[in-house]
């Protein structure tokens, strides 16, 4: 009644699946570890004046390139599989990596992929850094959702940086940040998000925008913002 | 309060520093393209969820019809439903092509499992054989991919249906459903449904799913299979118990008497089966 091949076949499938997961698991753990290193380098930005940030940015770039090579290895394994089958194993780490990349870019890094005046690395810039593929192929790539998650993390981080810039005596940077996060917020507002993790996290954007506005308010109330023509820098 | 503060902030900004912010965000074009892609994604997702629900509902109806005793009527009933399911699969197939097959796997998975339960049950009733994965794949039109996980989980549910079928049959005819008499196994008797159930159970138990799935993360098969394994074993034991009672009390048992005695006619396995 039962063809034994049925169950042999199922077992083979299960074992293949496990082997792929095992391989991906060890690589994503490596990526996670490297990601923590990058984050700790980037968090120095909160206590370093803009003028001296370049060394930190270079360190961060180096650490990110180590992550990129791990992502290359994950990509090597994942490209042989349907993309979304294992996507959930690395998507969180991918978000964190992209966050590090765009934060580093905002701080002045990755000059080779962007215009001098460009504050936010586009998804294409990030793709170039990751050496990723275009999203149409059923292979490893960066998804829009991952990029948007990274942007939300960037907004959170910049809200903190606005406060800390003031502590460092930098009263100009909060203005740049304020304009930047408002522009990003405007972008998020035109998205039709469904009730998913992106939606829940994007709810935090308005609070972070307000946090930055409050810093700007405190500064302007006390006439700490110089009336210069620099407001369009960002 | 935040409103009041913001208003004050705006005026402060106007007076002290810069012109009011009126230029549109430079990121809008980027976000517009993201919006379009995400909208398409959500639409696809909803279409697939809808198709999956409809396929589930229709498959359940097919299963119920197959449990009924009149073959001609059954065929008449399941034919249009099968046709509708085929259309549903065909319509949703473009949303499940290429990269999207796995992107929306979790959305379509429920419908496919239920459908596998229905066709494997029909297949068993017609041939007394377990449908193979290739045969099952061939029944799904439009090129929608059948994953090994969905196939396996569908078969788990099949055991519940076979249990219900066996018990109902014993209650109404006083005998266990049996394969054709020329098929003879070791004991010199015709193979019956309990032999088959035990055989399936043995194979399920031998299957090692412990390595699948990610610890601490979503882990499809290990969790689902674990849950269904328990239900499946209970189902087989129910048939064993019913056969035991039939043999022990068989002589005095009038036709139409139900095993267990206390349950009423309609109530025996129905709710147990409907719940998975």
């Amino acid at each position: 009644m039962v063809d034994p091949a049925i169950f042999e076949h199922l077992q083979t499938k299960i074992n293949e699946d496990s082997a792929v997961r095992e391989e991906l698991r060890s690589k994503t753990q490596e990526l996670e570890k490297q990601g923590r290193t990058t984050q700790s380098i980037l968090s120095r930005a909160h206590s370093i004046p803009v003028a001296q940030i370049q060394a930190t940015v270079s360190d961060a770039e180096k650490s990110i390139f180590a992550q990129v090579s791990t992502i290359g290895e994950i990509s090597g394994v994942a490209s042989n599989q349907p993309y979304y089958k294992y996507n959930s194993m690395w998507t969180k780490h991918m978000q964190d990596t992209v966050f590090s990349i765009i934060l580093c870019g905002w701080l002045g890094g990755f000059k080779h992929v962007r215009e001098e005046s460009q504050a936010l690395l586009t998804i294409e810039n990030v793709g170039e850094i990751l050496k990723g593929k275009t999203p149409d192929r059923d292979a490893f790539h960066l998804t829009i959702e991952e990029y948007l998650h990274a942007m939300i993390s960037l907004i959170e981080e910049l809200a903190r940086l606005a406060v800390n810039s003031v502590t460092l005596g930098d009263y100009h940077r909060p203005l740049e940040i304020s304009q930047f996060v408002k522009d990003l917020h405007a972008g998020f507002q035109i998205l039709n998000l469904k009730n998913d993790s992106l939606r829940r996290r994007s709810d935090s954007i308005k609070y972070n925008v307000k946090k930055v506005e409050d810093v700007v308010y405190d500064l302007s109330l006390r006439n700490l913002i110089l009336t210069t023509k620099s407001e369009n820098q960002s | 309060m935040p409103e009041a503060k913001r208003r004050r902030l705006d005026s402060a900004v106007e007076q002290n520093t810069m012109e009011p912010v009126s230029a549109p965000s430079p990121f809008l074009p980027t976000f517009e393209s993201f919006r379009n892609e995400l909208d398409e994604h959500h639409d696809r997702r909803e279409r697939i969820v809808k198709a999956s629900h409809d396929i589930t509902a229709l498959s359940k109806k097919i299963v119920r019809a197959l449990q009924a005793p009149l073959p001609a009527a059954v065929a008449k009933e399941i034919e249009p439903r099968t046709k509708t399911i085929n259309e549903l699969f065909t319509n949703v197939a473009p949303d499940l092509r290429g990269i999207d097959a796995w992107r929306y796997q979790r959305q379509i998975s429920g419908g496919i499992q239920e459908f596998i339960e229905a066709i494997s049950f029909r297949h068993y009733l017609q041939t007394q054989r377990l449908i193979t994965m290739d045969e099952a794949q061939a029944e799904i039109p439009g090129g929608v991919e059948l994953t090994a996980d969905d196939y396996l989980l569908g078969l788990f549910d099949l055991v519940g249906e076979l249990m219900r079928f066996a018990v109902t049959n014993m209650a109404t005819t006083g005998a266990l459903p049996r394969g054709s008499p020329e098929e003879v196994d070791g004991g010199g008797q015709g193979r019956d449904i309990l032999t088959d159930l035990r055989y399936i159970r043995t194979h399920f138990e031998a299957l090692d799913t412990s390595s699948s799935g990610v610890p601490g993360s979503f882990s499809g098969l290990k969790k689902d299979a674990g849950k269904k394994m328990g239900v499946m074993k209970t189902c087989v034991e129910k048939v064993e118990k019913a056969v035991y009672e039939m043999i022990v009390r068989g002589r005095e048992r009038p036709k139409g008497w139900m095993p267990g005695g206390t349950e009423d006619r309609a109530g025996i396995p129905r709710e147990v089966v409907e719940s998975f």
Side-chain angles (χ1 to χ4, degrees), chain A residues 159 162-163 174-175 177-179 181-182 185 205-221 225, chain B residues 2-3 5-10 12-13 21:
Chain A
V163 175
L175 294 181
I177 292 175
S178 177
Q179 186 61 54
V181 296
K182 274 185 199 163
H185 187 213
I205 296 175
K206 56 178 180 290
Y207 299 111
N208 287 307
V209 169
K210 183 177 176 299
K211 230 192 244 174
V212 181
E213 280 177 347
D214 287 349
V215 172
V216 174
Y217 168 72
D218 285 340
L219 293 175
S220 54
L221 190 70
I225 298 173
Chain B
E3 274 310 308
K5 203 165 186 183
R6 189 160 303 138
R7 230 173 289 126
R8 273 185 288 149
L9 165 75
D10 286 346
V13 168
V21 187

Side-chain angles (χ1 to χ4, degrees), chain A residues 123-136:
Chain A
I123 192 167
E124 290 82 11
N125 297 150
V126 177
E128 201 181 327
I129 293 165
L130 292 175
K131 304 185 188 87
K133 312 286 193 302
T134 52
D136 286 319

Side-chain angles (χ1 to χ4, degrees), chain B residues 227-267:
Chain B
K227 249 190 294 178
K228 294 199 177 197
M229 189 73 84
V231 177
M232 183 274 302
K233 286 181 184 174
T234 315
C235 285
V236 177
E237 271 156 41
K238 272 186 187 152
V239 178
E240 288 172 341
K241 178 106 190 301
V243 172
Y244 158 82
E245 290 188 353
M246 186 175 72
I247 288 169
V248 169
R249 306 184 201 152
R251 301 256 154 60
E252 64 218 59
R253 178 188 167 285
K255 220 175 175 185
W257 178 88
M258 303 294 269
T262 52
E263 287 140 330
D264 68 30
R265 194 171 248 284

Side-chain angles (χ1 to χ4, degrees), chain B:
Chain B
M1 259 73 68
E3 274 310 308
K5 203 165 186 183
R6 189 160 303 138
R7 230 173 289 126
R8 273 185 288 149
L9 165 75
D10 286 346
S11 61
V13 168
E14 275 172 50
Q15 283 164 17
N16 287 337
T17 57
M18 42 192 190
E19 295 120 49
V21 187
S22 57
S25 163
F27 304 124
L28 285 184
T30 309
F31 276 90
E32 272 162 21
S33 80
F34 290 164
R35 179 180 61 193
N36 296 341
E37 277 208 39
L38 287 175
D39 286 351
E40 281 173 31
H41 159 68
H42 292 309
D43 290 349
R44 271 197 300 273
R45 199 188 150 95
E46 264 163 40
R47 283 197 295 271
I48 292 166
V49 168
K50 170 89 174 47
S52 180
H53 282 171
D54 291 351
I55 292 167
T56 302
L58 286 162
S59 300
K60 278 185 193 295
K61 283 179 185 155
I62 291 178
V63 167
R64 191 148 325 143
L66 287 168
Q67 292 281 5
L70 296 168
V74 170
K76 215 172 117 196
E77 192 176 344
I78 66 173
E79 203 210 292
R81 297 205 165 117
T82 312
K83 207 169 143 249
T84 316
I85 290 181
N86 285 346
E87 283 165 14
L88 284 165
F89 271 123
T90 313
N91 291 341
V92 84
D95 289 329
L96 289 165
R97 284 234 168 96
I99 188 169
D100 288 334
W102 276 95
R103 186 177 196 178
Y104 303 106
Q105 216 284 317
R106 258 173 287 180
Q107 277 73 44
I108 194 69
S109 171
I112 292 185
Q113 286 178 28
E114 205 67 36
F115 184 61
I116 294 300
E117 178 184 340
I119 59 172
S120 61
F121 188 33
R122 195 205 58 214
H123 190 87
Y124 181 82
L125 293 181
Q126 285 169 347
T127 65
Q128 286 81 54
R129 301 204 160 268
L130 193 62
I131 195 165
T132 67
M133 192 164 157
D134 288 340
E135 286 164 342
Q137 174 71 75
E139 298 246 7
I140 301 178
V144 176
E145 187 184 336
L146 172 64
T147 67
D149 290 9
D150 285 343
Y151 169 68
L152 177 62
L153 293 170
L155 292 189
F156 268 114
D157 294 342
L158 167 68
V159 173
E161 292 310 323
L162 293 182
M163 177 273 282
R164 204 178 139 193
F165 176 72
V167 172
T168 312
N169 217 279
M170 282 159 58
T172 48
T173 68
L176 206 55
R178 220 166 256 285
S180 44
E182 62 266 29
E183 265 192 282
V184 169
D185 64 6
Q189 296 171 310
R191 192 181 53 133
D192 62 32
I193 193 168
L194 182 57
T195 326
D196 291 346
L197 279 169
R198 283 180 179 149
Y199 202 67
I200 298 177
R201 173 181 169 153
T202 312
H203 279 288
F204 273 138
E205 284 174 331
L207 216 51
D208 174 21
T209 58
S210 61
S211 57
S212 74
V214 190
S217 151
F218 95 97
S219 61
L221 186 60
K222 190 178 170 184
K223 200 171 125 241
D224 292 344
K227 249 190 294 178
K228 294 199 177 197
M229 189 73 84
V231 177
M232 183 274 302
K233 286 181 184 174
T234 315
C235 285
V236 177
E237 271 156 41
K238 272 186 187 152
V239 178
E240 288 172 341
K241 178 106 190 301
V243 172
Y244 158 82
E245 290 188 353
M246 186 175 72
I247 288 169
V248 169
R249 306 184 201 152
R251 301 256 154 60
E252 64 218 59
R253 178 188 167 285
K255 220 175 175 185
W257 178 88
M258 303 294 269
T262 52
E263 287 140 330
D264 68 30
R265 194 171 248 284
I268 291 192
R270 195 169 283 263
E271 59 277 39
V272 184
V273 172
E274 281 337 347
S275 64
F276 39 84

Side-chain angles (χ1 to χ4, degrees), chain A residues 82-97:
Chain A
Y83 177 73
Y84 282 100
K85 187 169 183 182
Y86 299 104
N87 164 272
S88 62
M89 291 187 69
W90 63 70
T91 185
K92 181 71 178 61
H93 309 305
M94 193 71 167
Q95 287 165 24
D96 292 345
T97 308

